[in-house]
């Protein structure tokens, strides 16, 4: 399969801060590739390098066969970029924004209408409305339409679903999946672990370094330990009590429960006694399957 | 070309969609012309006088009458206490204290010089000097009258003085409005081209639109041109509006060629647009831009010679003014409007402005980057 992006040993510094360090990855055609990591991990810096807005200090990156340092003129014609912040003109209408981007790329809305139809049809009834007056979900659909209007080969989405309601978020991912049939490669970053599962492959990024690149399922399997979910009515008390138990290896809050691993991978009654002594009542421990978040926390722990 | 035209259209759309800016663009010149031109004047009227007449003679009364008769002075207080007069001066109740000592008439009658004393409030040095000059004028007149009424009292010297008659060229009545209006027109185009264009550029950064624009094949020159042209055109329209108001309300003379004036303002605007672009490349918020731009505006305006002649500034200031485009525009505006100067008379100023315009724009475009 063709490599759309081939990055090797990319590094970028801002002053004394290393934003990216020795980052290498390959992305294949029509793949949905996700970057998962906390705020400040270097996702946006990496995306700015991919979109030719920044140059790397070290390493080499080839995008669609062009070097990111010398081929930026060509690349800008063929990349669709949706920055993390809403960056369309709030004082132009939906229609005007779309026409603007079409013109800037030397095309027309008509020409690529079939590509954006699935997305744009949701907001077309509001085409006269100013973009600044749209809801979060509609803004996101408009931004995606604008990023796609020139039929780019590579679509770069920086946290596209942040600040968007749950329904719009899942709709959005359905749209992304559909784009695959147009041979568009998608690079996306997200802080949401459930969205990571929808990518073909994900890279976990932390403090400017890639911890792991794999299919989401494989990353879950990489966890390699038995994971238990502990629930109790008083979660805060519970987590403190768990962390004070000598046999506990890790204990992280996870939704309503606490995910724990044991040093011996198994547990006995002593944990219940300990929790009792600490005043935690009705604690229940069940084995569970590790999610991406668990793997991520595990990898961070190893760092 | 199609792209540039489209971008320009988009800019206009945004400018006039902004309800405030859309109106202010034409409101500001009207307000500036109608308020600043008549308000900013060096003519002194109604200098408030406090008179201490210790002499109480016919001669002193004549002098006081003459002062009151002039349009410049208004006798607000009369007192015999020097203390009270100083208090009035101190409390800003009057601008000048005139003291006529005892024996004023007696001295005059004896053929000796009569002595009076004036104390002027010089908080504002300009108005103090002017009121002092006016007072001198009134007293000189008064002296001539005394001499004429009392032949024989003085020796002939008083009559054989050299009599200078003068004429003020290009602004015969020394009308300050004629002097200020061409200058205000210069400030007008500066405000539009410099501030509005710069703020518009920085706004793209502030709201984040620039990031997405930068990842498009749009050319640097296309983007910059599209940002500049609308304000350039609005500046010219405002200039026309200002001239029209000047003609209608102040009957401003227009001796020279209107086309020449517009051409010079156009060159000027290119230079300040370049400067605005330059400042915008290193400011990331409108606030930052405003602060730096304000500094440049004040320096350019105050040093341009709009209020005080450039020729009397210190040498370093005159050197600075070589790169101050507003200095050239002030000179050109006044020369073309009041004196009717033609292209040949102001070709040096025009050339200097062209050089500045090219230099500013060149530096700005080079610094402008389509990167994050």
């Amino acid at each position: 399969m063709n490599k759309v992006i081939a990055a090797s040993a990319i590094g970028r510094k801002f002053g004394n801060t290393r934003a990216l360090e020795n980052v290498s990855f390959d992305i294949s055609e029509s793949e949905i590739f996700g970057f998962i990591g906390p705020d400040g991990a270097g996702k946006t810096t990496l995306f700015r390098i991919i979109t030719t807005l920044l140059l790397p200090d070290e390493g080499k990156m080839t995008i669609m066969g062009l070097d990111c340092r010398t081929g930026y003129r060509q690349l800008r014609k063929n990349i669709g970029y949706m920055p993390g912040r809403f960056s369309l003109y709030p004082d132009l209408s939906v229609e005007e924004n779309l026409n603007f981007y079409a013109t800037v790329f030397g095309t027309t809305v008509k020409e690529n209408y079939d590509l954006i139809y699935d997305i744009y049809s949701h907001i077309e009834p509001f085409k006269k409305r100013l973009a600044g007056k749209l809801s979060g979900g509609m803004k996101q659909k408009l931004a995606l339409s604008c990023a796609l209007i020139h039929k780019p080969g590579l679509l770069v989405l920086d946290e596209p679903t942040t600040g968007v309601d749950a329904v719009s978020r899942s709709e959005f991912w359905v749209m992304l999946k559909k784009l695959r049939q147009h041979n568009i490669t998608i690079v996306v970053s997200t802080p949401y672990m459930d969205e990571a599962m929808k990518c073909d492959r994900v890279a976990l990024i932390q403090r400017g370094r890639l911890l792991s690149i794999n299919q989401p399922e494989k990353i879950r399997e990489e966890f390699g330990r038995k994971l238990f979910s502990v629930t109790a009515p008083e979660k805060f008390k519970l987590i403190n009590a768990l962390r004070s138990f000598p046999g506990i290896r890790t204990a992280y809050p996870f939704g309503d429960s606490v995910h724990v691993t044991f040093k011996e991978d198994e547990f006995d009654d002593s944990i219940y006694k300990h929790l009792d002594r600490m005043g935690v009542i009705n604690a229940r421990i069940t084995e569970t399957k590790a999610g991406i978040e668990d793997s991520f926390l595990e990898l961070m722990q190893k760092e | 070309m199609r792209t540039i035209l489209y971008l320009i259209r988009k800019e206009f759309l945004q400018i006039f969609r902004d309800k405030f800016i859309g109106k202010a663009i034409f409101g500001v010149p009207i307000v500036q012309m109608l308020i600043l031109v008549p308000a900013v004047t060096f003519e002194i009227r109604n200098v408030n006088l406090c008179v201490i007449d210790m002499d109480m003679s016919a001669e002193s009364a004549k002098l006081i009458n003459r002062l009151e008769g002039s349009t410049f002075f208004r006798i607000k207080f009369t007192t015999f206490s020097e203390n009270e007069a100083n208090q009035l001066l101190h409390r800003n109740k009057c601008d000048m204290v005139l003291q006529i000592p005892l024996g004023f008439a007696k001295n005059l009658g004896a053929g000796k010089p009569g002595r009076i004393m004036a104390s002027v409030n010089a908080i504002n040095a300009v108005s103090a000097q002017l009121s002092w000059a006016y007072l001198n004028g009134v007293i000189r007149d008064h002296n001539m009258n005394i001499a004429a009424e009392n032949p024989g009292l003085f020796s002939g010297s008083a009559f054989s003085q050299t009599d200078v008659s003068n004429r003020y060229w290009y602004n015969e009545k020394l009308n300050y409005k004629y002097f200020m209006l061409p200058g205000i027109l210069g400030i007008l185009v500066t405000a539009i081209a410099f501030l509005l264009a710069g703020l518009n550029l920085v706004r793209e950064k502030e709201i984040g639109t620039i990031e997405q624009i930068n990842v498009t094949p749009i050319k640097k020159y296309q983007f910059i041109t599209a940002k500049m042209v609308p304000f350039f055109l609005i500046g010219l329209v405002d200039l026309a509006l200002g001239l029209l108001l000047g003609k209608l309300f102040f009957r401003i003379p227009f001796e020279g060629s209107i086309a020449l004036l517009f051409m010079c303002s156009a060159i000027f605007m290119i230079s300040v647009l370049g400067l605005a672009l330059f400042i915008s490349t290193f400011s990331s918020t409108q606030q930052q831009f405003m602060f730096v731009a304000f500094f440049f505006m004040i320096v350019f305006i105050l040093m341009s010679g709009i209020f005080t002649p450039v020729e009397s500034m210190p040498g370093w200031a005159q050197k600075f003014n070589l790169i101050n485009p507003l200095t050239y525009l002030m000179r050109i505006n006044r020369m073309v409007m009041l004196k009717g100067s033609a292209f040949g008379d102001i070709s040096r100023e025009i050339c200097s402005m062209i050089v500045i315009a090219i230099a500013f724009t060149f530096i700005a475009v080079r610094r402008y980057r389509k990167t994050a």
Side-chain angles (χ1 to χ4, degrees):
Chain A
M1 234 203 245
N2 273 331
K3 295 272 173 276
V4 174
I5 302 181
S8 65
I10 293 291
R12 171 78 204 201
K13 272 200 250 181
F14 293 107
N16 284 326
T17 329
R18 284 191 149 276
L20 291 174
E21 207 175 336
N22 198 20
V23 170
S24 305
F25 57 91
D26 289 320
I27 298 176
S28 316
E29 202 172 80
S30 306
E31 199 176 13
I32 299 183
F33 194 94
F35 283 92
I36 319 291
D39 288 342
K43 287 176 298 196
T44 300
T45 305
L46 183 60
F47 279 26
R48 284 187 169 154
I49 291 174
I50 295 174
T51 53
T52 73
L53 287 172
L54 275 181
L55 290 177
D57 297 329
E58 300 154 10
K60 188 172 157 54
M61 189 187 287
T62 325
I63 306 160
M64 294 180 279
L66 295 160
D67 188 273
C68 71
R69 286 191 179 82
T70 54
Y72 66 93
R73 268 178 219 279
Q74 278 300 309
L75 280 173
R76 283 176 182 176
K77 288 181 191 156
N78 211 9
I79 292 179
Y81 177 40
M82 199 173 140
R85 234 169 100 202
F86 178 70
S87 54
L88 302 175
Y89 291 104
D91 51 351
L92 290 183
S93 70
V94 168
E95 203 178 21
E96 286 161 351
N97 266 300
L98 195 61
N99 276 322
F100 172 76
Y101 278 99
T103 312
V104 159
F105 280 104
T107 178
T108 56
V109 176
K110 228 178 183 175
E111 208 168 304
N112 291 315
Y113 190 74
D114 60 312
L115 183 65
I116 60 161
Y117 173 77
D118 274 335
I119 306 153
Y120 189 60
S121 58
H122 292 264
I123 46 174
E124 206 163 10
F126 311 102
K127 63 182 180 187
K128 298 281 178 207
R129 191 178 290 186
L130 296 187
K133 299 238 189 304
L134 294 175
S135 71
M138 294 209 290
K139 273 182 182 163
Q140 174 213 41
K141 287 185 187 102
L142 176 60
L144 185 60
S145 306
C146 289
L148 279 171
I149 193 63
H150 58 295
K151 203 171 192 314
L154 173 66
L155 185 61
V156 181
L157 311 167
D158 192 0
E159 299 203 0
T161 53
T162 302
V164 171
D165 64 280
V167 178
S168 299
R169 267 174 57 193
S170 63
E171 273 177 12
F172 189 78
W173 278 90
V174 174
M175 293 171 198
L176 289 191
K177 296 256 175 191
K178 278 193 187 165
L179 286 175
R180 222 192 307 219
Q181 64 203 25
H182 296 279
N183 289 329
I184 294 174
T185 308
I186 299 172
V187 180
V188 60
S189 71
T190 176
Y192 300 111
M193 298 297 165
D194 58 323
E195 292 184 347
M197 293 306 291
K198 296 178 179 163
C199 299
D200 296 323
R201 283 194 304 151
V202 295
L204 302 182
I205 182 168
Q206 157 81 0
R207 276 190 234 120
R209 293 218 283 228
L210 294 188
L211 304 180
S212 170
I213 306 174
N214 218 328
Q215 291 160 13
E217 268 313 308
K218 297 267 172 59
I219 286 194
R220 289 172 67 170
E221 285 163 19
E222 272 175 12
F223 189 70
R225 278 186 165 267
K226 280 191 176 168
L227 183 74
F228 299 90
S229 162
V230 187
T231 53
E234 290 178 84
K235 205 177 135 194
F236 183 69
K237 220 176 194 180
L238 172 69
I239 193 161
N240 283 331
L242 285 169
R243 280 181 178 160
S244 67
F245 184 68
I248 289 279
R249 204 176 140 265
T250 59
Y252 295 111
F254 189 91
D256 288 338
S257 60
V258 179
H259 279 185
V260 298
T261 56
F262 292 95
K263 283 175 184 157
E264 307 296 325
D265 246 9
E266 287 298 339
F267 68 97
D268 52 26
D269 275 356
S270 58
I271 177 89
Y272 287 112
K273 281 180 191 151
H274 175 77
L275 289 176
D276 250 5
R277 216 170 32 246
M278 299 294 284
V280 180
I281 45 163
N282 291 333
R284 284 185 51 216
I285 306 178
T286 47
E287 193 173 343
T288 184
K289 207 179 159 204
I292 283 203
E293 193 169 354
D294 299 302
S295 296
F296 193 22
L297 291 169
E298 183 68 20
L299 286 167
M300 277 168 65
Q301 166 104 358
K302 280 181 192 158
E303 278 275 304
Chain B
M1 201 59 211
R2 192 180 83 98
T3 313
I4 291 190
L5 285 178
Y6 184 86
L7 291 177
I8 292 174
R9 225 192 63 190
K10 172 218 142 219
E11 291 299 330
F12 270 120
L13 196 67
Q14 285 183 296
I15 293 167
F16 290 108
R17 191 162 282 172
D18 185 320
K19 287 204 177 70
F20 182 75
I21 292 284
K23 284 181 194 140
I25 276 175
F26 301 110
V28 165
I30 297 175
V31 172
Q32 276 203 352
M33 293 306 283
L34 297 189
I35 293 182
L36 287 188
V37 172
V40 179
T41 170
F42 286 140
E43 287 171 57
I44 305 276
R45 281 204 192 119
N46 305 329
V47 176
N48 290 326
L49 262 187
C50 174
V51 178
I52 312 174
D53 184 3
M54 305 295 254
D55 200 42
M56 293 294 275
S57 61
E59 284 303 326
S60 64
K62 231 188 257 172
L63 177 63
I64 293 167
N65 269 338
R66 189 173 284 277
L67 284 171
E68 192 147 42
S70 81
T71 50
F72 309 119
F73 295 102
R74 209 161 49 180
I75 295 177
K76 269 288 255 303
F77 307 97
T78 48
T79 174
F80 291 110
S81 149
E82 205 172 316
N83 232 343
E84 193 192 335
N86 285 343
Q87 278 296 318
L88 288 168
L89 198 64
H90 188 68
R91 280 187 283 131
N92 246 349
K93 297 280 182 206
C94 67
D95 307 309
M96 189 191 276
V97 174
L98 188 70
Q99 198 173 346
I100 306 174
L102 192 65
F104 175 71
K106 210 170 117 196
N107 278 344
L108 279 181
K112 288 187 212 155
R115 295 193 176 279
I116 56 175
M117 185 175 97
S119 320
V120 190
N121 177 359
I123 288 286
N124 183 337
V126 177
S127 69
Q129 273 173 2
L130 278 168
S131 28
W132 173 242
Y134 288 144
L135 182 72
N136 264 328
V138 174
I139 289 172
R140 202 170 41 238
D141 260 15
H142 185 70
N143 282 342
M144 295 296 276
N145 273 354
I146 296 173
E149 283 166 18
N150 303 289
L153 198 62
F154 299 95
S155 51
S157 64
F159 294 98
S160 53
Q161 275 172 350
T162 313
D163 188 24
V164 181
S165 66
N166 53 4
R167 186 175 160 216
Y168 294 103
W169 280 73
Y170 313 123
N171 187 357
E172 278 192 36
K173 291 175 185 155
L174 288 184
N175 186 334
Y176 255 93
K177 292 185 189 94
Y178 295 173
F179 177 71
M180 286 311 293
L181 195 135
I184 303 278
L185 284 176
I187 295 182
L188 195 73
V189 288
T190 314
I192 299 288
F194 190 47
L195 291 184
L196 279 188
L199 285 173
N200 187 293
L201 275 162
V202 182
R203 199 175 88 105
E204 295 259 357
K205 278 197 199 174
E206 205 174 75
I207 62 174
T209 45
I210 196 80
E211 188 159 350
Q212 200 158 354
I213 302 247
N214 282 344
V215 190
T216 66
I218 189 169
K219 301 271 191 313
K220 208 158 95 168
Y221 80 88
Q222 290 175 327
F223 184 74
I224 293 173
T225 313
K227 282 284 172 199
M228 300 293 156
V229 168
F231 296 100
F232 180 79
L233 293 177
I234 290 170
L236 291 181
V237 170
D238 273 357
L239 180 63
L241 194 64
L243 276 174
L244 195 71
L245 289 171
K247 201 84 199 156
L248 286 178
F249 288 90
F250 308 113
R251 313 232 160 264
I252 180 102
F254 202 107
E255 303 290 340
S257 137
I258 294 192
L260 185 62
L261 187 84
F262 272 82
M263 189 191 90
C264 294
S265 289
I267 301 168
F268 168 79
M269 273 197 283
I270 293 173
S271 64
V272 284
L273 283 168
L275 190 65
L277 178 67
F278 179 68
I279 299 174
S280 77
T281 56
F282 51 80
S283 13
S284 45
T285 63
Q286 299 188 54
Q287 195 180 21
Q288 287 172 5
F289 176 84
M290 224 26 222
F291 186 67
V292 179
F294 184 74
F295 167 77
F296 273 96
M297 279 265 296
I298 290 289
V299 171
F300 278 175
I301 290 175
L302 288 184
M303 295 191 71
S304 69
I306 182 172
F307 302 117
T308 47
V310 174
E311 291 74 19
S312 50
M313 291 180 188
W316 57 265
Q318 295 194 31
K319 287 231 170 61
F320 168 81
N321 270 331
L322 289 176
I323 59 154
N324 180 356
L326 204 53
T327 309
Y328 298 107
L329 190 74
M330 287 294 159
R331 215 178 300 159
I332 290 171
N333 276 1
R334 283 175 179 153
M335 283 171 81
V336 172
M337 288 179 71
L338 305 183
K339 202 172 167 182
S341 298
F343 184 84
D345 306 315
I346 51 173
S347 58
R348 266 198 55 197
E349 279 81 4
I350 294 178
C351 287
S352 308
M353 281 207 310
I354 291 176
V355 171
I356 292 173
I358 292 174
F360 281 4
T361 312
F362 179 75
I363 297 170
V365 171
R366 277 203 50 167
R367 244 203 78 98
Y368 183 84
R369 288 269 177 278
K370 267 186 77 183
T371 52

